[in-house]
Amino acid sequence: MNFQSLTFHSIGIARSIIIPVLVSQSKEICKEFNIETKEADVMALIDTGATNSSISDKLANSIGMKAVDQCKVAAAGGIHTANVFLIDISLKNMINFNNIRSAGFFGNDAFDIIIGMDILTQGDLAITNHDRQTVLSFRIPPDNKHIDFTI
């Protein structure tokens, strides 16, 4: 079985995992509406607590993304209405996810993308902390067996 994988090493124990990604508006949307595709190299937060992936409004505006819808988002600050974008994300320019439905969020300086469970459940994700160093490993498609640390 062919698979793609990537590994990220942190310096010390990570309290959050932020990785580099390449992002753009969905190439299908750009082609359909004759919009120029603009890509951006940005940082993404790996968030297993997020049901869906998200993009910062600041990034979406800076590369001229067009919203395809709006939705209600329940977040730490309460419920609000957010623009929805269809985006393409490339992890380390190797693992590509296309047409990801992503709600906008008010960004911060640490990351512009949140990678949620809609992407993470398409593969296998492991986070280990041997020798006081956090290592994240991700592969797609999932392996044909589960990792079980109890055996």
Side-chain angles (χ1 to χ4, degrees), residues 19-27 39-40 42-46 52-55 59 65 86-102 112-116 118-119:
I19 64 171
V21 298
L22 182 68
V23 66
S24 68
Q25 178 131 40
S26 162
K27 287 170 187 63
E39 297 178 328
V42 297
M43 301 306 286
L45 174 71
I46 301 293
N52 296 298
S53 298
S54 300
I55 182 169
L59 173 61
M65 289 191 176
L86 285 180
I87 65 174
D88 293 346
I89 299 175
S90 177
L91 308 181
K92 236 184 178 178
N93 296 331
M94 297 173 16
I95 302 175
N96 300 306
F97 299 92
N98 299 316
N99 298 314
I100 302 297
R101 191 173 166 85
S102 302
D112 279 303
I113 298 288
I114 297 172
I115 296 177
D118 57 334
I119 288 178

Side-chain angles (χ1 to χ4, degrees), residues 72-131:
K72 296 283 185 195
V73 174
I79 298 173
H80 67 276
T81 300
N83 285 326
V84 175
F85 304 91
L86 285 180
I87 65 174
D88 293 346
I89 299 175
S90 177
L91 308 181
K92 236 184 178 178
N93 296 331
M94 297 173 16
I95 302 175
N96 300 306
F97 299 92
N98 299 316
N99 298 314
I100 302 297
R101 191 173 166 85
S102 302
F105 70 92
F106 297 110
N108 62 41
D109 292 333
F111 56 87
D112 279 303
I113 298 288
I114 297 172
I115 296 177
M117 293 302 287
D118 57 334
I119 288 178
L120 298 174
T121 56
Q122 293 184 46
D124 289 333
L125 174 73
I127 299 171
T128 58
N129 293 291
H130 170 70
D131 204 19

